[in-house]
Amino acid sequence: MQRGTTLIWNVYTNPTGGAGYDYTFINYRWNRALDYPAASKGYPGWQYGIYDYVNSPGQRFALFSKSNDPFHYEIACDLGGLGNFMDAWATHSGNGNPVGGEQWTGHDRQSWMLDFV
């Protein structure tokens, strides 16, 4: 699999998140955080953005490993909690596919590969 620098995220432990939302994703290339918009008030249906790191609830995440697979995770955002999981939205994985927040479904579009090196 080819990975350009725009697809590489550093995952940092952020124990100040509380309630298990202990991870922050910082983009390798831009040094900015993955962020779920505050304007969403935590409701699903909004797209993620990339913003300066400010340790907001939209920048804190909980990781849930999928059973029998140490590399695939479901990711919930502190802003919206267990009602707001990272989802690829579309039925294909082509370039430009949006990523946003959705209710948990267990669908493969909510499974993310994390390779902790």
Side-chain angles (χ1 to χ4, degrees):
M1 168 178 29
Q2 288 184 316
R3 292 185 294 184
T5 56
T6 58
L7 297 176
I8 298 173
W9 295 84
N10 293 316
V11 180
Y12 292 97
T13 303
N14 180 7
T16 62
Y21 296 92
D22 296 334
Y23 299 93
T24 297
F25 294 84
I26 304 290
N27 185 267
Y28 177 82
R29 182 174 188 180
W30 299 304
N31 200 34
R32 290 203 165 102
L34 185 64
D35 186 282
Y36 199 70
S40 72
K41 298 180 182 173
Y43 291 107
W46 293 62
Q47 275 187 265
Y48 283 93
I50 301 170
Y51 293 94
D52 290 335
Y53 175 70
V54 295
N55 194 23
S56 70
Q59 295 178 345
R60 295 189 298 253
F61 300 90
L63 306 179
F64 301 95
S65 62
K66 297 196 63 132
S67 60
N68 302 322
D69 190 341
F71 298 106
H72 286 86
Y73 293 83
E74 294 166 335
I75 303 170
C77 184
D78 190 6
L79 185 60
L82 296 179
N84 190 1
F85 280 80
M86 192 178 294
D87 191 298
W89 280 356
T91 57
H92 67 286
S93 59
N95 291 333
N97 191 61
V99 173
E102 284 298 331
Q103 295 281 335
W104 182 82
T105 64
H107 194 280
D108 286 344
R109 291 187 307 261
Q110 293 181 338
S111 179
W112 300 90
M113 186 174 116
L114 299 178
D115 185 4
F116 295 95
V117 291

